[in-house]
Amino acid sequence: MNIIDTHCHICSEKLLPLHKEILKECSELNMKIIEVGYTLESSESAIRLAATNNDIYASVGIHPSEYTAEKPEELYFRLNSLSLSPKVIAVGEIGLDFYWQSPKSFQYQILELQLDLAKKRNLPVIFHVRQAYHEFYEFIKPYNFLSENAVLHCFSSDISWARSFLNLGFYLGFDGPVTYPKNDALREVLTFCPHEKLLCETDCPYMPPVPYRGKPNRPAYIVEVIKKISSIKNMNISEMSDILYKNAHRLFRIDP
Ligand SMILES: [Zn+2]
């Protein structure tokens, strides 16, 4: 079975003590992972991790809730130099998050700056959006280069928003919540979403799927998410996994 987890934070504090075990599990499953940055430091860690392992790729970016007082020009300069590392395959996770109290002016400013970087470097984008779907949609609509070049990670809204972002040419990422018993609404979105636009992720250590709720999530648990997606899509798990794998390679332009 071909497996790729397109959204991990295995360098986060929670998973650091489990690093050896996690990397062993990943190699036993013969899986690939994308380690996603959310600050300058975590982006650097992602690059370092990717440099040690053929099957690990890095994404660099500053999350909207990670407020930093650094000057925008300085952030651009540092992100640009990080993005030149050979294993960097995307800019992200970036976006808007109105759940946390990070200043909105800062969020818009670094979003714009990082979109400029992605365009200049010709890299696909990993978006994080929370409680800001409308504002985010209005903001990114004019960025035509994002078509077929972006994923809305951990999609957590309804069919109508799914349709809007699919119409912009976005991929949608699905995570552990798709396995939660009460989440029929999200499973309906999955039924609606075309196969070729689906990505599967863990966002580990967050949002562990059933039956691992309450534990820190890890990349190997992605199997539970793929199982769920394949049952919703009425396919066998290896067929579904192949599709998800191909989609990720197409978006992130990784050699299969
Ligand atoms: Zn994340």
Side-chain angles (χ1 to χ4, degrees), residues 7-9 36-38 63 93 126 128 153 175 203-204 206:
H7 199 111
C8 293
H9 305 288
V36 178
Y38 46 94
H63 190 285
E93 58 187 301
I126 299 171
H128 164 101
H153 126 80
D175 309 47
D203 200 12
C204 59
Y206 313 105

Side-chain angles (χ1 to χ4, degrees), residues 17-195:
L18 302 170
H19 239 185
K20 267 198 181 150
E21 214 178 307
I22 285 177
L23 292 175
K24 190 166 161 260
E25 277 173 0
C26 292
S27 82
E28 279 164 5
L29 282 169
N30 195 20
M31 65 183 286
K32 297 184 182 181
I33 71 171
I34 299 176
E35 177 75 3
V36 178
Y38 46 94
T39 55
L40 287 173
E41 295 69 31
S42 59
S43 300
E44 282 164 3
S45 310
I47 291 171
R48 275 199 300 273
L49 177 70
T52 65
N53 190 315
N54 269 341
D55 292 327
I56 301 180
Y57 301 85
S59 173
V60 298
I62 297 167
H63 190 285
S65 65
E66 295 288 341
Y67 177 75
T68 154
E70 255 174 298
K71 286 204 173 69
E73 312 82 69
E74 175 63 17
L75 288 177
Y76 189 94
F77 176 79
R78 293 189 57 189
L79 280 170
N80 183 56
S81 67
L82 290 177
S83 75
L84 296 167
S85 303
K87 294 291 283 297
V88 171
I89 47 93
V91 170
E93 58 187 301
I94 67 173
L96 293 176
D97 188 326
F98 295 166
Y99 175 81
W100 300 106
Q101 297 304 311
S102 171
K104 287 187 182 176
S105 57
F106 164 80
Q107 296 197 30
Y108 281 108
Q109 195 176 33
I110 55 162
L111 175 56
E112 185 175 8
L113 170 154
Q114 296 181 97
L115 286 170
D116 290 347
L117 175 70
K119 188 165 184 208
K120 181 182 133 200
R121 297 274 303 109
N122 190 24
L123 287 168
V125 183
I126 299 171
F127 284 116
H128 164 101
V129 180
R130 190 170 182 192
Q131 291 190 7
Y133 273 73
H134 180 74
E135 294 85 347
F136 174 72
Y137 180 78
E138 290 302 320
F139 189 81
I140 48 102
K141 222 169 27 174
Y143 287 89
N144 295 325
F145 84 95
L146 291 173
S147 181
E148 307 303 326
N149 214 16
V151 56
L152 189 46
H153 126 80
C154 195
F155 186 80
S156 52
S157 189
D158 55 16
I159 288 187
S160 148
W161 277 119
R163 183 185 292 117
S164 303
F165 286 104
L166 288 167
N167 285 342
L168 290 182
F170 276 43
Y171 288 74
L172 302 181
F174 291 88
D175 309 47
V178 87
T179 67
Y180 299 171
K182 285 184 183 158
N183 222 340
D184 286 333
L186 193 60
R187 286 185 282 276
E188 267 175 47
V189 175
L190 246 177
T191 312
F192 168 79
C193 186
H195 291 168

